[in-house]
Amino acid sequence: MQRIVFPISALILIMVWSSCRNDFEYASNPGNLEFSKDTVFLDTVFSNISSSTYTLKVYNPNHDDIEIPSIRLKQGQNSAYRLNVDGMAGKEFTNIPILAKDSLYIFVETTYSPTNDGKQFLYTDAIAFKGLSSTQEVQLVTLVKDAIFRYPKILENGTKETHPLNMDIDGNQNNVEGFFLKNDELIFTNDKPYVIYGYAIVPENQTLQVNAGVRIHFHEGSGIYVSKGASLHINGTLSSSQDILENEVIFEGDRLEPEYSNVPGQWGTIWIAEGSLNNTMEHVTIKNATIGTIVKGDGQRQTPSLTINNTQIYNSSFTNLQAINTYVTGENTVLGGAGGNSLHCSRGGQYEFTHCTIANYWSHGSRLGTALKIDNYDSTTSGDLVLAQFNNCIIDGSAPIEISLNSNEANAFNFTFDHSLIKFEDTAGQYTNNTLYDFNDNTKYIETLINQNTDFKGFNRNVFQLGEASSAIDKADLAYSLSIPYDIIGTERTQNPDIGAYEYTPK
């Protein structure tokens, strides 16, 4: 008889425990919830563009399982914020349980359009957590920028406006989502930032003028297309603050959150088509594109297709500047990290760069190219390289070899590096017998420094000012420097000038 007492007792305990669990009720929220932050700051967004999703963690510090009677946005259904609580989307929630010593995730996002006429607007709300005798709140804060939006029309069939553009390096036409800029849209002012969806097309025989201080933001897959016979004039000026860059013209993506500030490939490119005329870039920053700028030539090289001065292009997922059988001149220009080449002079053409820094320190995985690539052919087309001249320039990067010279030996292939610093560590000796890399040939390499220390101050951040140990200091040819007496940030270089876009200044 004694042998069955224990099993019966155990069975009774199990039944009692199960009965208790079935009848269990959560305690009401005593009002002492804890939060991962007391204010959720949603980083700056443009009006009418959704923010990223932000996380708030809610903790139950009690030894009891509790139920929160109400979690709601204070502005209720009128709030521009959106919540997701425990997998449910909405703006008001009731009877939300949290186990003892456990937590709950709340996800927050917003889309807001300010009604005032200011350039930016602080939008706020709060999440209210009801307790037994009090209500706890977590504040929500978003800075919303007002902007000028440019985008393709939505057609009657629901598709977006497209145009056949020669956006192919082989000259083939593609139907691209975009729109022609109207006559009253051809001057960009700095009153508000611009947000562009699709490709903004500069019509033939028209000029797009971009004033100093303009900020242009591109949605994914968007950019600017300069048609045959059209022009792009970007008229930035020197800024007094190199942190704010108040007079610089800046092209970047439309995500303003800090985590997107260095993400490559967020938008398309600035495409300068064949036959486009007299394009100029002055004091411009182009960053986080797929290809920063493409310049396509038409074989007519009496005047430059693009003049690019005091400009930075960096963090492109492929190439920062690709020039195809065209004529480009550049001064005080920095072409930084890219997933391919920093500068690609392709299929011949004519190129003159003076006091430029071409340095590919790519920090987003492996890359496919060198800092500088020059060729006069590809698999389908070839052209004469009339001249590629680099005066007082730095060609550097994180790879052992940072220049690539490729000639088909049929077309002209003329190049010169004059008082320039080049990284070329051919430890395997694979280019020993290649005359293109004969650095003792003083018709191609004039007073050239090979594999010297550049000592950039912040190469991994695309900051290429010179440190005190740089071999580029005092090594530039004064004759070239006198024609460009100030560096990219306005430092004088008329005495003992340095190679590259930046003149060294002591700390």
Side-chain angles (χ1 to χ4, degrees):
M1 188 69 173
Q2 291 181 345
R3 287 180 295 176
I4 65 172
V5 171
F6 173 75
I8 291 174
S9 301
L11 181 60
I12 292 171
L13 287 173
I14 292 171
M15 293 174 64
V16 171
W17 179 83
S18 298
S19 175
C20 289
R21 294 301 301 173
N22 290 337
D23 296 334
F24 179 82
E25 293 183 359
Y26 288 94
S28 293
N29 172 26
N32 64 341
L33 297 173
E34 296 176 358
F35 306 99
S36 57
K37 55 193 78 173
D38 57 13
T39 303
V40 178
F41 292 98
L42 286 77
D43 291 299
T44 307
V45 297
F46 285 114
S47 59
N48 298 311
I49 295 180
S50 179
S51 71
S52 293
T53 301
Y54 294 79
T55 303
L56 172 69
K57 199 171 183 180
V58 183
Y59 301 94
N60 173 14
N62 302 288
H63 294 284
D64 297 322
D65 300 340
I66 66 170
E67 188 173 69
I68 306 171
S70 170
I71 298 176
R72 63 185 299 272
L73 289 162
K74 287 190 71 176
Q75 296 181 27
Q77 296 300 321
N78 294 322
S79 179
Y81 289 100
R82 300 181 296 276
L83 304 179
N84 187 296
V85 177
D86 202 21
M88 297 180 293
K91 299 186 179 185
E92 299 182 19
F93 309 85
T94 57
N95 302 325
I96 304 300
I98 309 182
L99 298 179
K101 300 296 183 179
D102 205 349
S103 59
L104 171 73
Y105 281 96
I106 296 179
F107 301 99
V108 187
E109 60 184 21
T110 188
T111 305
Y112 184 71
S113 179
T115 56
N116 68 338
D117 295 326
K119 293 184 180 180
Q120 54 191 32
F121 181 87
L122 195 65
Y123 180 62
T124 63
D125 199 348
I127 307 174
F129 300 82
K130 187 176 182 180
L132 281 173
S133 58
S134 63
T135 297
Q136 295 175 272
E137 293 184 358
V138 172
Q139 302 302 312
L140 304 176
V141 179
T142 307
L143 183 63
V144 183
K145 281 180 175 281
D146 195 9
I148 298 169
F149 289 83
R150 298 281 185 256
Y151 46 84
K153 292 183 294 187
I154 303 297
L155 305 179
E156 291 182 0
N157 61 5
T159 63
K160 292 181 181 178
E161 174 186 5
T162 62
H163 294 276
L165 302 179
N166 290 318
M167 290 188 64
D168 183 286
I169 60 174
D170 294 321
N172 300 316
Q173 283 192 343
N174 296 311
N175 284 324
V176 178
E177 287 185 2
F179 56 96
F180 283 96
L181 290 166
K182 301 173 184 176
N183 289 343
D184 61 354
E185 297 174 337
L186 289 170
I187 298 178
F188 284 15
T189 67
N190 64 6
D191 294 333
K192 296 179 182 180
Y194 289 77
V195 180
I196 293 177
Y197 285 73
Y199 274 83
I201 305 168
V202 186
E204 189 172 354
N205 301 322
Q206 298 291 336
T207 298
L208 172 60
Q209 299 209 38
V210 183
N211 292 348
V214 169
R215 290 350 187 205
I216 304 178
H217 301 263
F218 298 94
H219 197 62
E220 182 181 3
S222 302
I224 290 176
Y225 182 88
V226 186
S227 304
K228 178 181 179 181
S231 300
L232 172 65
H233 293 170
I234 307 175
N235 305 316
T237 59
L238 183 65
S239 298
S240 60
S241 169
Q242 292 305 305
D243 294 321
I244 300 173
L245 293 174
E246 73 279 4
N247 296 323
E248 190 97 347
V249 174
I250 299 178
F251 294 82
E252 59 183 319
D254 64 351
R255 301 308 300 261
L256 304 183
E257 300 91 333
E259 59 265 31
Y260 285 92
S261 63
N262 250 336
V263 176
Q266 293 182 46
W267 56 283
T269 186
I270 299 171
W271 188 291
I272 299 175
E274 291 184 33
S276 174
L277 307 170
N278 189 30
N279 299 282
T280 59
M281 294 182 178
E282 185 76 47
H283 285 287
V284 185
T285 294
I286 301 171
K287 61 181 181 178
N288 301 335
T290 301
I291 298 177
T293 300
I294 296 177
V295 192
K296 187 83 160 35
D298 60 358
Q300 304 300 315
R301 291 185 289 269
Q302 285 77 21
T303 58
S305 296
L306 173 64
T307 299
I308 179 170
N309 298 333
N310 302 297
T311 289
Q312 303 177 78
I313 309 178
Y314 59 87
N315 219 32
S316 303
S317 55
F318 287 98
T319 303
N320 288 322
L321 175 58
Q322 181 163 5
I324 304 169
N325 193 16
T326 189
Y327 185 1
V328 176
T329 65
E331 297 176 354
N332 281 343
T333 288
V334 174
L335 302 172
N341 306 109
S342 297
L343 171 61
H344 186 186
C345 303
S346 175
R347 303 183 191 175
Q350 184 170 338
Y351 311 98
E352 300 169 26
F353 289 89
T354 304
H355 274 296
C356 293
T357 297
I358 305 164
N360 198 346
Y361 287 88
W362 180 247
S363 59
H364 302 279
S366 59
R367 61 178 162 103
L368 302 176
T370 52
L372 172 62
K373 181 178 181 180
I374 306 173
D375 60 59
N376 62 1
Y377 73 101
D378 63 10
S379 59
T380 59
T381 311
S382 62
D384 289 333
L385 181 65
V386 176
L387 181 64
Q389 185 163 345
F390 297 85
N391 310 309
N392 293 349
C393 290
I394 293 175
I395 297 93
D396 190 51
S398 55
I401 293 174
E402 289 293 1
I403 62 170
S404 175
L405 307 173
N406 300 286
S407 172
N408 61 4
E409 299 183 355
N411 293 88
F413 196 79
N414 300 307
F415 67 91
T416 303
F417 293 92
D418 193 343
H419 287 77
S420 293
L421 190 157
I422 300 173
K423 186 174 183 181
F424 193 86
E425 298 176 354
D426 184 20
T427 55
Q430 64 186 88
Y431 297 101
T432 300
N433 298 318
N434 190 326
T435 58
L436 296 176
Y437 302 99
D438 181 1
F439 299 115
N440 294 315
D441 182 351
N442 59 17
T443 65
K444 294 183 175 67
Y445 299 95
I446 303 167
E447 299 291 332
T448 300
L449 304 176
I450 307 298
N451 298 327
Q452 299 295 307
N453 181 19
T454 51
D455 191 27
F456 293 129
K457 289 185 177 180
F459 59 84
N460 58 336
R461 296 178 285 111
N462 288 293
V463 176
F464 297 109
Q465 291 169 300
L466 303 175
E468 62 183 6
S470 177
S471 300
I473 295 173
D474 297 345
K475 299 295 175 58
D477 187 326
L478 181 61
Y480 293 119
S481 303
L482 290 175
S483 66
I484 312 171
Y486 297 94
D487 76 355
I488 188 173
I489 57 173
T491 304
E492 188 176 354
R493 59 156 68 101
T494 55
Q495 295 183 356
N496 302 317
D498 306 334
I499 298 172
Y502 290 96
E503 189 73 7
Y504 168 72
T505 54
K507 292 181 181 180

